[in-house]
């Protein structure tokens, strides 16, 4: 008995009765039953999936994997366009199946891939299917652009608006939250970190029902032009109809911009104020760009009043000597001089700066206060790091094998494209485009492979003197910033001249009081 697999696909743009999901499955069962020597192994079915790419076609990919395992000897599909609308994919997969001794029968097109002239006929049919996909894609994109120009909204609902029938309808409850966010940022001059924390503490939920708010989420809301009544569409586009990958539109296609398109949630005056403030703060942050992980305490010292991170500053005396200190970003950038509508001060007045050597001394005292067995600690840290390094090497080796496999597949696809050209199945223009694309992808993968190999060599060298390095760290003789960065969880500077220190993965909490040029330990407690 010949084990027969069947493949069927119904796409989103062609859901007529003849090609419906259920109809195709019934068709294959009846077709196989008419051949006594055939036995149905399995029907592989992808529903609502495009045919121009196999990337997201789960059933198709499972079928290919089963074919490589020798589960069946024949694949039955209704027509070439159901199998694939990408000519190179069609030829590549049918060649692989033929090499495995597996025939693909396209019932409506009367093609059996084991026949001598099958590839020529198949390439013609696949070319027609691919060209139909290209034309369909062009028609869809053209129609979408015209509808966008008419004001039809393409996209999902968002905080403050529900998208219904291509219209943006204000959601009153969520709209109040949007107004609150704009007011906090534009009028109260609060930072996005503070706003996110306040929304989280107040129990507000995002549009998707999440209680976790992030500064980036707040920025995204503040920059969304929909809240002032404008509409900008085609922010992303699909350059290749075969892989359907979306890219950010940096001018490759013309944006569709409609001013005063729908009912606004915030007035234009507040909107402009917020956009100006965003640009001003962005310029201020660019001046300190690259410092987020530059120092031991970057992002680790928090303000006990407003929750913002402390940023580093450097003071140089006339003598040429200098020192580094840390201050609350909100206090530096916003101060406490401004008043809100009720005459109350806004901003942060924690008023404390923390010298770096003082912060370092508190960190050392915290570590020294732990009751630790030195030899046991050295052994445990060394063992843990070795485990991490070994796991990292295993991951790197797996990544290397995966990259090498992907490069091999691209080389094979380039060879298939050349074969298709020499057999006059594709034009010279199509060949040039395909070769250029595969060449770029291969170069990108080769660079990643080189970087992975270099990282492996680096890890191997680092493990050699690991025990000695750990001993120096535990003895306090090492100035490794990596160690201190990883051992410190965070510090909190409070207004009452106290600093709280927490170490990574430890329940201990250490408190220090700030005195001129010193740090005095107050207490140690567990939580």
């Amino acid at each position: 008995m010949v084990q027969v697999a069947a493949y069927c696909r119904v796409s989103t743009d062609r859901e007529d009765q003849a090609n419906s999901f259920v109809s195709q499955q019934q068709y294959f069962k009846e077709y196989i039953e008419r051949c006594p020597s055939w036995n149905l192994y399995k029907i592989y079915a992808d529903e609502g999936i495009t045919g121009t790419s196999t990337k997201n076609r789960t059933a198709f990919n499972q079928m290919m994997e089963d074919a490589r395992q020798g589960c069946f000897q024949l694949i039955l599909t209704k027509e070439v366009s159901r199998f694939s609308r990408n000519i190179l994919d069609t030829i590549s997969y049918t060649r692989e199946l033929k090499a495995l001794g597996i025939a693909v029968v396209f019932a409506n097109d009367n093609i059996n891939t084991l026949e001598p002239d099958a590839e020529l006929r198949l390439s013609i049919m696949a070319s027609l299917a691919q060209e139909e996909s290209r034309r369909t894609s062009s028609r869809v994109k053209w129609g979408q652009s015209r509808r966008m120009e008419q004001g039809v909204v393409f996209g999902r609902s968002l905080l403050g608006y529900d998208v219904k029938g291509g219209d943006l309808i204000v959601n009153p409850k969520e709209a109040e939250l949007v107004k609150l966010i704009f007011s906090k940022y534009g009028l109260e001059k609060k930072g996005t970190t503070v706003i996110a924390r306040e929304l989280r503490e107040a129990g507000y939920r995002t549009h998707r029902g999440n209680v976790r708010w992030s500064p980036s989420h707040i920025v995204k809301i503040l920059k969304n032009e929909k809240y002032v009544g404008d509409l900008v569409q085609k922010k992303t586009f699909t350059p290749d109809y075969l892989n359907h990958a979306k890219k950010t539109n940096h001018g490759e296609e013309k944006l569709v911009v409609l001013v005063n398109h729908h009912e606004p949630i915030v007035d234009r005056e507040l909107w402009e104020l917020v956009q100006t403030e965003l640009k001003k703060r962005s310029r201020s942050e660019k001046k300190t760009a690259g410092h987020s992980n530059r120092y031991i305490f970057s992002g680790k010292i928090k303000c006990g009043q407003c929750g913002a991170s402390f940023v580093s500053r450097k003071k140089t005396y006339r003598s040429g000597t200098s020192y580094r200190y840390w201050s609350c970003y909100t206090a530096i950038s916003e101060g406490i001089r401004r008043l809100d509508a009720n005459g109350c001060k806004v901003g942060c007045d924690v008023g404390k700066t923390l010298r770096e050597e003082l912060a370092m001394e508190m960190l050392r005292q915290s570590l020294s206060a732990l009751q630790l067995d030195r030899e046991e600690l050295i052994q445990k840290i060394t063992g843990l790091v070795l485990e991490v390094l070994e796991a990292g090497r295993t991951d790197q080796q797996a990544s290397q094998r995966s990259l090498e496999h992907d490069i091999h597949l691209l080389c094979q696809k380039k060879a298939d494209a050349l074969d298709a050209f020499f057999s006059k199945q594709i034009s010279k223009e199509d060949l040039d485009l395909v070769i250029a694309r595969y060449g770029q992808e291969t170069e990108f993968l080769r660079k990643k492979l080189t970087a992975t190999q270099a990282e492996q060599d680096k890890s191997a060298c680092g493990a050699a003197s690991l025990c000695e390095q750990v001993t120096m760290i535990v003895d306090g003789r090492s100035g490794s910033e990596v160690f201190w960065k990883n051992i410190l969880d965070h510090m909190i500077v409070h207004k009452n001249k106290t600093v709280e220190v927490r170490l990574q993965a430890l329940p201990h909490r250490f408190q220090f009081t700030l005195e001129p040029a010193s740090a005095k330990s107050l207490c140690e407690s567990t939580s």
Side-chain angles (χ1 to χ4, degrees), residues 6-9 21 42-47 49 54-66 72:
Y7 178 75
C8 62
R9 177 184 62 81
F21 186 63
K42 184 178 179 180
I43 294 179
Y44 299 88
D46 285 311
E47 187 173 13
I49 302 294
T54 61
K55 183 177 180 181
N56 296 317
R57 289 161 65 183
T58 306
F60 184 92
N61 294 325
Q62 182 60 54
M63 179 183 70
M64 291 301 300
E65 184 60 33
D66 290 346
F72 45 79

Side-chain angles (χ1 to χ4, degrees), residues 185 271-281 283:
Y185 190 88
W271 164 263
E272 297 294 346
L273 176 64
V274 166
Q275 302 316 301
T276 302
E277 189 70 18
L278 283 167
K279 291 178 182 177
K280 183 176 74 174
R281 297 192 197 183
R283 286 194 298 269

Side-chain angles (χ1 to χ4, degrees), residues 151-163 166-170 178 182 220-235 256 258-268 271 275:
V152 177
V153 179
F154 285 79
R156 297 177 297 216
S157 301
L158 65 157
L159 186 70
Y161 287 109
D162 296 324
V163 177
D167 294 324
L168 284 168
I169 310 299
V170 174
V178 172
F182 273 83
K220 189 175 181 180
I221 291 172
L222 294 172
K223 288 184 176 181
N224 196 326
E225 80 289 338
K226 293 182 180 68
Y227 294 121
V228 75
D230 298 341
L231 180 65
V232 178
Q233 298 196 95
K234 297 192 78 172
K235 294 178 182 177
V256 178
L258 300 175
V259 180
N260 296 325
H261 168 266
H262 53 272
E263 180 184 352
I265 291 178
V266 298
D267 60 67
R268 197 163 292 275
W271 164 263
Q275 302 316 301

Side-chain angles (χ1 to χ4, degrees), residues 398-461:
S399 177
Q400 180 177 336
R401 288 194 295 270
S402 176
L403 289 170
E404 290 171 345
H405 177 69
D406 290 344
I407 291 171
H408 173 74
L409 288 180
L410 284 171
C411 292
Q412 184 61 50
K413 286 187 176 182
K414 288 172 69 174
D416 290 342
L418 286 169
D419 288 346
F421 169 70
F422 288 126
S423 60
K424 298 182 180 181
Q425 297 168 9
I426 61 174
S427 66
K428 180 65 166 58
E429 291 76 11
D430 289 340
L431 176 67
D432 291 340
L433 288 172
V434 169
I435 294 298
R437 188 179 75 193
Y438 289 159
Q440 291 175 352
E441 292 178 5
T442 302
E443 181 64 22
F444 174 74
L445 291 176
R446 289 192 188 280
K447 288 181 179 179
K448 287 185 67 175
L449 180 60
T450 302
T452 301
Q453 291 170 337
E455 193 65 30
Q456 277 187 280
D457 296 339
K458 183 179 178 181
S459 298
C461 294

Side-chain angles (χ1 to χ4, degrees), residues 119-375:
E119 190 164 298
L120 174 61
R121 295 163 60 200
L122 182 62
S123 62
I124 294 172
M125 298 303 297
S127 297
L128 293 174
Q130 181 171 314
E131 178 61 17
E132 178 60 27
S133 289
R134 187 193 65 79
R135 291 178 179 177
T136 300
S137 177
S138 297
R139 288 196 298 268
V140 170
K141 288 181 69 174
W142 187 88
Q144 286 182 345
S145 296
R146 301 293 79 77
R147 295 187 70 194
M148 287 179 182
E149 292 169 359
Q150 295 167 5
V152 177
V153 179
F154 285 79
R156 297 177 297 216
S157 301
L158 65 157
L159 186 70
Y161 287 109
D162 296 324
V163 177
K164 297 179 179 179
D167 294 324
L168 284 168
I169 310 299
V170 174
N171 183 314
K173 184 178 179 180
E174 293 183 351
E176 291 301 317
L177 179 53
V178 172
K179 292 178 182 177
L180 179 64
I181 292 171
F182 273 83
S183 177
K184 283 178 178 289
Y185 190 88
L187 302 179
E188 299 179 29
K189 305 300 180 183
K190 293 182 177 179
T192 55
T193 301
V194 178
I195 295 173
R197 177 172 56 82
E198 291 181 350
L199 295 180
R200 186 166 57 248
E201 292 175 351
Y204 287 108
R205 293 181 177 271
T206 66
H207 177 71
R208 295 186 179 182
N210 198 335
V211 295
R212 296 179 64 86
W213 293 83
S214 65
S216 60
H217 190 182
I218 301 299
V219 171
K220 189 175 181 180
I221 291 172
L222 294 172
K223 288 184 176 181
N224 196 326
E225 80 289 338
K226 293 182 180 68
Y227 294 121
V228 75
D230 298 341
L231 180 65
V232 178
Q233 298 196 95
K234 297 192 78 172
K235 294 178 182 177
T236 61
F237 72 109
T238 306
D240 189 345
Y241 72 96
L242 291 176
N243 60 25
H244 300 277
K246 288 185 177 294
K247 292 187 177 180
T248 302
N249 187 0
H250 294 295
E252 292 86 352
E253 293 190 8
K254 186 178 180 181
L255 293 171
V256 178
V257 182
L258 300 175
V259 180
N260 296 325
H261 168 266
H262 53 272
E263 180 184 352
I265 291 178
V266 298
D267 60 67
R268 197 163 292 275
E269 184 179 0
L270 177 57
W271 164 263
E272 297 294 346
L273 176 64
V274 166
Q275 302 316 301
T276 302
E277 189 70 18
L278 283 167
K279 291 178 182 177
K280 183 176 74 174
R281 297 192 197 183
S282 177
R283 286 194 298 269
S284 175
E285 289 167 1
K286 282 181 181 178
K287 293 179 182 178
T288 58
H291 293 255
S292 60
N293 288 310
R294 184 173 176 180
Y295 306 110
I296 293 173
F297 300 103
S298 297
K300 297 291 184 82
I301 306 178
K302 304 293 183 181
C303 177
Q305 181 176 345
C306 71
S309 295
F310 273 41
V311 293
S312 67
R313 293 290 185 268
K314 189 176 182 181
K315 183 175 179 62
T316 303
Y317 294 109
R318 290 182 179 179
S319 62
T321 60
S322 63
Y323 70 91
R324 186 168 300 282
Y325 64 94
W326 295 79
S327 299
C328 173
Y329 176 77
T330 306
I332 293 173
S333 61
E334 300 177 0
I336 61 170
R337 292 188 292 261
R338 288 184 300 277
L339 302 178
D340 61 15
N342 299 319
C344 298
K345 293 179 179 180
V346 295
C348 178
D349 61 346
V350 70
K352 295 297 172 191
T353 60
L354 187 61
R355 291 181 64 141
E356 184 156 292
E357 62 265 27
L358 194 56
M360 196 68 210
E361 180 60 27
M362 286 188 283
L363 181 53
R364 287 196 180 98
Q365 286 190 26
S366 300
L367 188 61
S368 299
L370 294 172
Q371 299 299 318
L372 300 172
D373 183 311
R374 178 181 173 280
E375 295 301 325

